Amino acid sequence: MKIRKTFQTRFVFAAFLAAILGFSNAVQAQQNWAATVGGQSADMSKQAAAFLPNEIWIHAGDSITWTFASADVHSVTFLTVGQVYPFDFTQGCPPITPSGLPFDGSSCVSSPPLVLGQTYQVVFPKAGNYEIVCLVHAQMFGTIHVLDATLPLPYDQASYDEQAKEQVKALLEDADLHQHHAEHQHSIGDMFSAKATSHTKSVTAGVGEIAATAGGQQSFSLVRFINGTVTIHAGETVEWTNLDAEIGHTITFGTVPQDLIDPSCSPNCVVSTDPDGALHVTITNTQQNVHSGLIAALLEDEPGFPQGPVAPPTRFRITFTTPGTYAYVCAFHDNLGMDGTVIVLP
Ligand SMILES: [Cu+2]
């Protein structure tokens, strides 16, 4: 009896200990954290290209589930060190990998481009500092700090929720300020380039800015043609410029072509290049399809990389010879409501 009782006591104690240890391991090493990708204003004109929050500290074994919060596409991608950042964001890192896989730095994981309401989860089994990147927006990246399970974490989920909210608010409020700024720049830009080329009206095709954090970069964009409805007379020229360092746009009349990157025009028209590098088309009727191709800010120079050409085009000009109403969109951001109209009077 005595032996049996001791056995029972020990068994109960051991089971109790195992339960405590097992429970505490489950809490410490297998927490699933929640974070957000992107943000936008109610009318979708203001877009935050950001991982929110931009920096997260977790334990090895934890996972993070990102919920996408904008109609503009983003990806959650972890590349391996030395891997080349790919050109085509539709193919993943490549490849596209399923949600819920581990990333320990040895092979890449990537969501497809996702939008509002979709989610993607990554598990982090190994301690280290890992860069999270968006394959759609090169200047959108953050850091995930994966600490050994014995180390304390600086923030809890509630703190991260608050940080995410504050970061997206700050980015979108900045966009408000820059809308006024852009309208101001619009007239200055007009003044300067009117001296170089002959055109009547100038439209800012988007404006944006990149901000740094200790863990990466995030940006806001005003995804609109500012003063995008313009009235001119036949024979006059409109010029579009992109003042967004992060996001490229197009100026597209008529049918949207398959190839969004290169300029095109049909039928019976050509896209030529002005002496200052701007693309230029002359439209003679409202039925022509005109596509600027990608109009984007120039890329910055990077130490260790060769000097590149002045590319891509940053300006697009159209001369309208015939009275009529000409509607246009950005082929990338039509879904966000980025459109305008040129009214040509006799
Ligand atoms: Cu656009």
Side-chain angles (χ1 to χ4, degrees), residues 298-299 301 306-312:
L298 297 175
L299 296 174
D301 295 308
Q307 175 72 52
V310 175

Side-chain angles (χ1 to χ4, degrees), residues 8 11 14 22 53 98 116 127 135 141 144 153 167-168 202 239 247 259 262 281 288 292 295 312 319 326 332 335:
Q8 270 183 337
F11 178 78
L116 199 63
L135 296 182
F141 58 96
I144 310 303
L153 297 178
Q167 283 177 16
V168 76
S202 168
E239 177 184 274
I247 295 183
D259 177 0
D262 298 308
V281 175
Q288 281 167 316
S292 66
I295 301 294
T319 303
Y326 300 76
F332 292 120
N335 68 319

Side-chain angles (χ1 to χ4, degrees), residues 142-194:
T143 304
I144 310 303
H145 306 281
V146 182
L147 307 184
D148 188 89
T150 57
L151 296 172
L153 297 178
Y155 301 109
D156 60 9
Q157 182 64 57
S159 309
Y160 285 130
D161 293 348
E162 194 56 36
Q163 287 172 30
K165 230 166 70 183
E166 279 173 15
Q167 283 177 16
V168 76
K169 190 163 168 259
L171 288 167
L172 295 178
E173 276 175 2
D174 254 5
D176 263 344
L177 296 176
H178 278 257
Q179 179 158 21
H180 301 301
H181 187 55
E183 280 163 15
H184 183 58
Q185 275 186 329
H186 165 83
S187 55
I188 294 173
D190 222 10
M191 199 167 70
F192 280 127
S193 70

Side-chain angles (χ1 to χ4, degrees), residues 71 79 149 238:
L79 301 174
V238 180

Side-chain angles (χ1 to χ4, degrees), residues 203 225 227-238 240 251-255 265-267 269 281-291 316 318-330 338-346:
V203 175
F225 293 108
N227 302 328
T229 297
V230 293
T231 303
I232 58 166
H233 290 278
E236 292 178 335
T237 300
V238 180
W240 286 264
I251 296 96
T252 306
F253 293 76
T255 308
C265 187
S266 70
C269 51
V281 175
T282 297
I283 298 188
T284 53
N285 69 73
T286 56
Q287 301 309 306
Q288 281 167 316
N289 304 305
V290 182
H291 179 66
F316 189 61
I318 302 181
T319 303
F320 296 85
T321 63
T322 309
T325 300
Y326 300 76
Y328 65 95
V329 299
C330 167
M338 185 168 180
D339 52 34
T341 306
V342 179
I343 299 157
V344 182
L345 304 175

Side-chain angles (χ1 to χ4, degrees), residues 196-212:
T197 63
S198 155
H199 68 272
T200 310
K201 292 277 165 128
S202 168
V203 175
T204 299
V207 60
E209 195 166 279
I210 299 167

Side-chain angles (χ1 to χ4, degrees), residues 22-33 59-63 123-125 149:
F23 180 67
S24 78
N25 275 346
V27 168
Q28 279 206 336
Q30 291 171 32
Q31 184 165 350
N32 180 47
W33 300 81
H59 280 142
D62 288 357
S63 57
V123 184
F124 298 89

